[in-house]
Amino acid sequence: MEKFVLYNTLTRRKESFEPIAAPNVGMYVCGPTVYGDPHLGHARPAVTFDMMFRYLRSLGYKVRYVRNITDVGHLEHDADQGEDKIAKKARLEQLEPMEVAHHYTERYHDAMRQLGVLTPSIEPHASGHIIEQIAFVERILKAGYAYESNGSIYFDVEKYDRDHRYGRLSGRNLEDIVTNTRELDGQSDKHHSYDFALWKKASPEHIMRWPSPWSDGFPGWHMECSAMSTKYLGERFDIHGGGMDLMFPHHECEIAQSTAALGHDSAKYWVHNNMITINGQKMGKSLGNFITLEQLFTGSHPLLAQAYSPMTIRFFVLQAHYRSTLDFSNEALQAAEKGLDRLMKGVETLSKLKPAATSTVDVAEAERRCADAMADDMNSPMVISTLFDWVRIVNQAAEWQQSLTEADLMALRATFSKYVFDILGLRDEKSATAESGRDLVSPLVGMLLDMRMQAKAAKDWATSDAIRDRLTEIGIRVKDRKDGYDWEIE
Ligand code: ZN
């Protein structure tokens, strides 16, 4: 199998990817919280780990990709207090909490489909794994790294830190965390401000609640990922991914929970994508720059100069390395739209090139450079720039400034198909829309033009001209021929 080098956030260096049980690869990625419309911030991790899933499969690995749905336990503040976000939305909209979660899960799936994100192998819901989460809390209690307080269970960070060191992933130490943790009201159940909830006793008005040995309550947010990754991928698995914003406290707490319960961290490689900023600013509801994916696809947000197609967004995300920040602006999106168009036109030109007797170029170079770029920590911008170099060559070949043999043409088409469609996961939206539009338009235009022929035969020139002019107005050019007509969409 080809060598693949991956940056491991935990060790802070690039490591050669060696799966625990090749050819099987277990991959867990923290999925969305489903209490609102999917937004720009969801696009980056989804596209990044979709590319990783596609790439690993192209290398011949058998990947089990688990991406969870957080439909419980995500509190307003990261300090284990405040109202559950889904329950709050349900209360405001007078809905059953699962109605809210289901609605936004569907919206998320729809947006992901449009972005060309493949369905993961398993998509477990936190609310469907309460039993596993309770069992996981019990393991941590039994190992001595948690304590009960008024029906809630908290993780004993100090004790864990003494034995295993807390903060390995985010590079923080306990002193930094103490000085940066605000004491909030209602935290008196905890021994220390940095302790986090594994199980929370529900207050009387809290709707999402389950029975447990300690209280009627609900699991802490970090618990679902420890419990569900262990259930579906085992006590040791290969890749754990997510956005950089999840590194602390979420992933740090996950590592602590798994290490406390199992005696070792469960994930071998921790992979984090960097964040999307908007005109240099962090995205946030309070900043007025919170853009949902639907608003992007339809252009309906004051910050947007136009609508951007799902593939433009995907291409925009892939044009940056996943570990670099990515700044969203209309200019950058418009440049991505143009770039994607140039790439797709190149693919089309390549499909029509005629073979020559000899080749003036070495097509193996295209495959080699793309493969090397992907193998170097998934360098998608390098893959794209290689593809653009070859689009230039293809365009030259179309004007007979370069030539390729039949075998070379086939190899180059295979390279483009592999990287553009299979690994980067792009699709040609323009030709797809034009084709599906044409399916519907063709019989309608044919019908109108038949009517025009009849009008002409009856020497009703006014009707005949009106039909042609109206079609021209909506972008359909009619060409009269001796034996009838021809038409095309302009
Ligand atoms: Zn998680």
mmCIF file with all atom_site columns, all heavy atoms in Angstrom, residues 401-413:
data_model
loop_
_atom_site.group_PDB
_atom_site.id
_atom_site.type_symbol
_atom_site.label_atom_id
_atom_site.label_alt_id
_atom_site.label_comp_id
_atom_site.label_asym_id
_atom_site.label_entity_id
_atom_site.label_seq_id
_atom_site.pdbx_PDB_ins_code
_atom_site.Cartn_x
_atom_site.Cartn_y
_atom_site.Cartn_z
_atom_site.occupancy
_atom_site.B_iso_or_equiv
_atom_site.pdbx_formal_charge
_atom_site.auth_seq_id
_atom_site.auth_comp_id
_atom_site.auth_asym_id
_atom_site.auth_atom_id
_atom_site.pdbx_PDB_model_num
ATOM 1   N N   . GLN A 1 401 ? -0.815  22.075 -29.835 1.00 0.00 ? 401 GLN A N   1
ATOM 2   C CA  . GLN A 1 401 ? 0.523   22.501 -29.408 1.00 0.00 ? 401 GLN A CA  1
ATOM 3   C C   . GLN A 1 401 ? 1.198   21.402 -28.591 1.00 0.00 ? 401 GLN A C   1
ATOM 4   O O   . GLN A 1 401 ? 2.384   21.475 -28.289 1.00 0.00 ? 401 GLN A O   1
ATOM 5   C CB  . GLN A 1 401 ? 0.436   23.784 -28.575 1.00 0.00 ? 401 GLN A CB  1
ATOM 6   C CG  . GLN A 1 401 ? 0.015   24.982 -29.403 1.00 0.00 ? 401 GLN A CG  1
ATOM 7   C CD  . GLN A 1 401 ? -0.474  26.123 -28.526 1.00 0.00 ? 401 GLN A CD  1
ATOM 8   O OE1 . GLN A 1 401 ? -0.346  26.081 -27.312 1.00 0.00 ? 401 GLN A OE1 1
ATOM 9   N NE2 . GLN A 1 401 ? -1.046  27.129 -29.152 1.00 0.00 ? 401 GLN A NE2 1
ATOM 10  N N   . GLN A 1 402 ? 0.399   20.438 -28.150 1.00 0.00 ? 402 GLN A N   1
ATOM 11  C CA  . GLN A 1 402 ? 0.934   19.261 -27.467 1.00 0.00 ? 402 GLN A CA  1
ATOM 12  C C   . GLN A 1 402 ? 0.217   18.069 -28.081 1.00 0.00 ? 402 GLN A C   1
ATOM 13  O O   . GLN A 1 402 ? -0.860  18.235 -28.675 1.00 0.00 ? 402 GLN A O   1
ATOM 14  C CB  . GLN A 1 402 ? 0.594   19.266 -25.965 1.00 0.00 ? 402 GLN A CB  1
ATOM 15  C CG  . GLN A 1 402 ? 1.089   20.459 -25.207 1.00 0.00 ? 402 GLN A CG  1
ATOM 16  C CD  . GLN A 1 402 ? 2.544   20.340 -24.792 1.00 0.00 ? 402 GLN A CD  1
ATOM 17  O OE1 . GLN A 1 402 ? 3.239   19.404 -25.197 1.00 0.00 ? 402 GLN A OE1 1
ATOM 18  N NE2 . GLN A 1 402 ? 3.015   21.292 -24.022 1.00 0.00 ? 402 GLN A NE2 1
ATOM 19  N N   . SER A 1 403 ? 0.776   16.898 -27.910 1.00 0.00 ? 403 SER A N   1
ATOM 20  C CA  . SER A 1 403 ? 0.047   15.726 -28.404 1.00 0.00 ? 403 SER A CA  1
ATOM 21  C C   . SER A 1 403 ? 0.160   14.580 -27.408 1.00 0.00 ? 403 SER A C   1
ATOM 22  O O   . SER A 1 403 ? 1.127   14.481 -26.652 1.00 0.00 ? 403 SER A O   1
ATOM 23  C CB  . SER A 1 403 ? 0.573   15.313 -29.783 1.00 0.00 ? 403 SER A CB  1
ATOM 24  O OG  . SER A 1 403 ? 1.905   14.856 -29.656 1.00 0.00 ? 403 SER A OG  1
ATOM 25  N N   . LEU A 1 404 ? -0.873  13.732 -27.397 1.00 0.00 ? 404 LEU A N   1
ATOM 26  C CA  . LEU A 1 404 ? -0.912  12.579 -26.486 1.00 0.00 ? 404 LEU A CA  1
ATOM 27  C C   . LEU A 1 404 ? -1.383  11.349 -27.251 1.00 0.00 ? 404 LEU A C   1
ATOM 28  O O   . LEU A 1 404 ? -2.312  11.444 -28.064 1.00 0.00 ? 404 LEU A O   1
ATOM 29  C CB  . LEU A 1 404 ? -1.875  12.841 -25.330 1.00 0.00 ? 404 LEU A CB  1
ATOM 30  C CG  . LEU A 1 404 ? -1.489  13.920 -24.319 1.00 0.00 ? 404 LEU A CG  1
ATOM 31  C CD1 . LEU A 1 404 ? -2.233  15.204 -24.595 1.00 0.00 ? 404 LEU A CD1 1
ATOM 32  C CD2 . LEU A 1 404 ? -1.774  13.442 -22.916 1.00 0.00 ? 404 LEU A CD2 1
ATOM 33  N N   . THR A 1 405 ? -0.750  10.225 -26.962 1.00 0.00 ? 405 THR A N   1
ATOM 34  C CA  . THR A 1 405 ? -1.187  8.982  -27.599 1.00 0.00 ? 405 THR A CA  1
ATOM 35  C C   . THR A 1 405 ? -2.496  8.524  -26.958 1.00 0.00 ? 405 THR A C   1
ATOM 36  O O   . THR A 1 405 ? -2.879  9.011  -25.888 1.00 0.00 ? 405 THR A O   1
ATOM 37  C CB  . THR A 1 405 ? -0.141  7.864  -27.397 1.00 0.00 ? 405 THR A CB  1
ATOM 38  O OG1 . THR A 1 405 ? -0.038  7.617  -25.993 1.00 0.00 ? 405 THR A OG1 1
ATOM 39  C CG2 . THR A 1 405 ? 1.208   8.244  -27.987 1.00 0.00 ? 405 THR A CG2 1
ATOM 40  N N   . GLU A 1 406 ? -3.118  7.558  -27.595 1.00 0.00 ? 406 GLU A N   1
ATOM 41  C CA  . GLU A 1 406 ? -4.363  6.975  -27.065 1.00 0.00 ? 406 GLU A CA  1
ATOM 42  C C   . GLU A 1 406 ? -4.170  6.484  -25.622 1.00 0.00 ? 406 GLU A C   1
ATOM 43  O O   . GLU A 1 406 ? -4.966  6.792  -24.733 1.00 0.00 ? 406 GLU A O   1
ATOM 44  C CB  . GLU A 1 406 ? -4.745  5.796  -27.974 1.00 0.00 ? 406 GLU A CB  1
ATOM 45  C CG  . GLU A 1 406 ? -5.955  5.008  -27.506 1.00 0.00 ? 406 GLU A CG  1
ATOM 46  C CD  . GLU A 1 406 ? -7.234  5.510  -28.158 1.00 0.00 ? 406 GLU A CD  1
ATOM 47  O OE1 . GLU A 1 406 ? -7.286  5.495  -29.396 1.00 0.00 ? 406 GLU A OE1 1
ATOM 48  O OE2 . GLU A 1 406 ? -8.149  5.910  -27.418 1.00 0.00 ? 406 GLU A OE2 1
ATOM 49  N N   . ALA A 1 407 ? -3.082  5.753  -25.380 1.00 0.00 ? 407 ALA A N   1
ATOM 50  C CA  . ALA A 1 407 ? -2.825  5.193  -24.041 1.00 0.00 ? 407 ALA A CA  1
ATOM 51  C C   . ALA A 1 407 ? -2.608  6.311  -23.027 1.00 0.00 ? 407 ALA A C   1
ATOM 52  O O   . ALA A 1 407 ? -3.103  6.251  -21.897 1.00 0.00 ? 407 ALA A O   1
ATOM 53  C CB  . ALA A 1 407 ? -1.611  4.275  -24.084 1.00 0.00 ? 407 ALA A CB  1
ATOM 54  N N   . ASP A 1 408 ? -1.884  7.355  -23.430 1.00 0.00 ? 408 ASP A N   1
ATOM 55  C CA  . ASP A 1 408 ? -1.637  8.476  -22.522 1.00 0.00 ? 408 ASP A CA  1
ATOM 56  C C   . ASP A 1 408 ? -2.926  9.240  -22.227 1.00 0.00 ? 408 ASP A C   1
ATOM 57  O O   . ASP A 1 408 ? -3.151  9.684  -21.096 1.00 0.00 ? 408 ASP A O   1
ATOM 58  C CB  . ASP A 1 408 ? -0.585  9.424  -23.112 1.00 0.00 ? 408 ASP A CB  1
ATOM 59  C CG  . ASP A 1 408 ? 0.822   8.896  -22.866 1.00 0.00 ? 408 ASP A CG  1
ATOM 60  O OD1 . ASP A 1 408 ? 0.950   7.878  -22.152 1.00 0.00 ? 408 ASP A OD1 1
ATOM 61  O OD2 . ASP A 1 408 ? 1.781   9.500  -23.380 1.00 0.00 ? 408 ASP A OD2 1
ATOM 62  N N   . LEU A 1 409 ? -3.773  9.386  -23.240 1.00 0.00 ? 409 LEU A N   1
ATOM 63  C CA  . LEU A 1 409 ? -5.053  10.059 -23.025 1.00 0.00 ? 409 LEU A CA  1
ATOM 64  C C   . LEU A 1 409 ? -5.873  9.295  -22.000 1.00 0.00 ? 409 LEU A C   1
ATOM 65  O O   . LEU A 1 409 ? -6.467  9.883  -21.092 1.00 0.00 ? 409 LEU A O   1
ATOM 66  C CB  . LEU A 1 409 ? -5.837  10.137 -24.331 1.00 0.00 ? 409 LEU A CB  1
ATOM 67  C CG  . LEU A 1 409 ? -5.580  11.350 -25.229 1.00 0.00 ? 409 LEU A CG  1
ATOM 68  C CD1 . LEU A 1 409 ? -6.435  11.260 -26.483 1.00 0.00 ? 409 LEU A CD1 1
ATOM 69  C CD2 . LEU A 1 409 ? -5.868  12.651 -24.484 1.00 0.00 ? 409 LEU A CD2 1
ATOM 70  N N   . MET A 1 410 ? -5.883  7.979  -22.144 1.00 0.00 ? 410 MET A N   1
ATOM 71  C CA  . MET A 1 410 ? -6.666  7.164  -21.209 1.00 0.00 ? 410 MET A CA  1
ATOM 72  C C   . MET A 1 410 ? -6.114  7.270  -19.796 1.00 0.00 ? 410 MET A C   1
ATOM 73  O O   . MET A 1 410 ? -6.872  7.377  -18.826 1.00 0.00 ? 410 MET A O   1
ATOM 74  C CB  . MET A 1 410 ? -6.725  5.716  -21.668 1.00 0.00 ? 410 MET A CB  1
ATOM 75  C CG  . MET A 1 410 ? -7.852  5.545  -22.683 1.00 0.00 ? 410 MET A CG  1
ATOM 76  S SD  . MET A 1 410 ? -7.776  4.025  -23.633 1.00 0.00 ? 410 MET A SD  1
ATOM 77  C CE  . MET A 1 410 ? -7.866  2.794  -22.394 1.00 0.00 ? 410 MET A CE  1
ATOM 78  N N   . ALA A 1 411 ? -4.790  7.277  -19.687 1.00 0.00 ? 411 ALA A N   1
ATOM 79  C CA  . ALA A 1 411 ? -4.167  7.372  -18.352 1.00 0.00 ? 411 ALA A CA  1
ATOM 80  C C   . ALA A 1 411 ? -4.476  8.733  -17.729 1.00 0.00 ? 411 ALA A C   1
ATOM 81  O O   . ALA A 1 411 ? -4.796  8.828  -16.536 1.00 0.00 ? 411 ALA A O   1
ATOM 82  C CB  . ALA A 1 411 ? -2.661  7.162  -18.478 1.00 0.00 ? 411 ALA A CB  1
ATOM 83  N N   . LEU A 1 412 ? -4.411  9.790  -18.515 1.00 0.00 ? 412 LEU A N   1
ATOM 84  C CA  . LEU A 1 412 ? -4.653  11.129 -17.990 1.00 0.00 ? 412 LEU A CA  1
ATOM 85  C C   . LEU A 1 412 ? -6.121  11.307 -17.592 1.00 0.00 ? 412 LEU A C   1
ATOM 86  O O   . LEU A 1 412 ? -6.433  11.911 -16.564 1.00 0.00 ? 412 LEU A O   1
ATOM 87  C CB  . LEU A 1 412 ? -4.243  12.191 -19.020 1.00 0.00 ? 412 LEU A CB  1
ATOM 88  C CG  . LEU A 1 412 ? -4.206  13.635 -18.511 1.00 0.00 ? 412 LEU A CG  1
ATOM 89  C CD1 . LEU A 1 412 ? -3.241  13.792 -17.336 1.00 0.00 ? 412 LEU A CD1 1
ATOM 90  C CD2 . LEU A 1 412 ? -3.815  14.609 -19.621 1.00 0.00 ? 412 LEU A CD2 1
ATOM 91  N N   . ARG A 1 413 ? -7.012  10.733 -18.410 1.00 0.00 ? 413 ARG A N   1
ATOM 92  C CA  . ARG A 1 413 ? -8.441  10.785 -18.050 1.00 0.00 ? 413 ARG A CA  1
ATOM 93  C C   . ARG A 1 413 ? -8.690  10.043 -16.735 1.00 0.00 ? 413 ARG A C   1
ATOM 94  O O   . ARG A 1 413 ? -9.459  10.504 -15.892 1.00 0.00 ? 413 ARG A O   1
ATOM 95  C CB  . ARG A 1 413 ? -9.293  10.165 -19.160 1.00 0.00 ? 413 ARG A CB  1
ATOM 96  C CG  . ARG A 1 413 ? -9.484  11.098 -20.338 1.00 0.00 ? 413 ARG A CG  1
ATOM 97  C CD  . ARG A 1 413 ? -10.175 10.407 -21.506 1.00 0.00 ? 413 ARG A CD  1
ATOM 98  N NE  . ARG A 1 413 ? -10.079 11.232 -22.696 1.00 0.00 ? 413 ARG A NE  1
ATOM 99  C CZ  . ARG A 1 413 ? -9.990  10.765 -23.951 1.00 0.00 ? 413 ARG A CZ  1
ATOM 100 N NH1 . ARG A 1 413 ? -9.979  9.453  -24.169 1.00 0.00 ? 413 ARG A NH1 1
ATOM 101 N NH2 . ARG A 1 413 ? -9.906  11.593 -24.962 1.00 0.00 ? 413 ARG A NH2 1
#
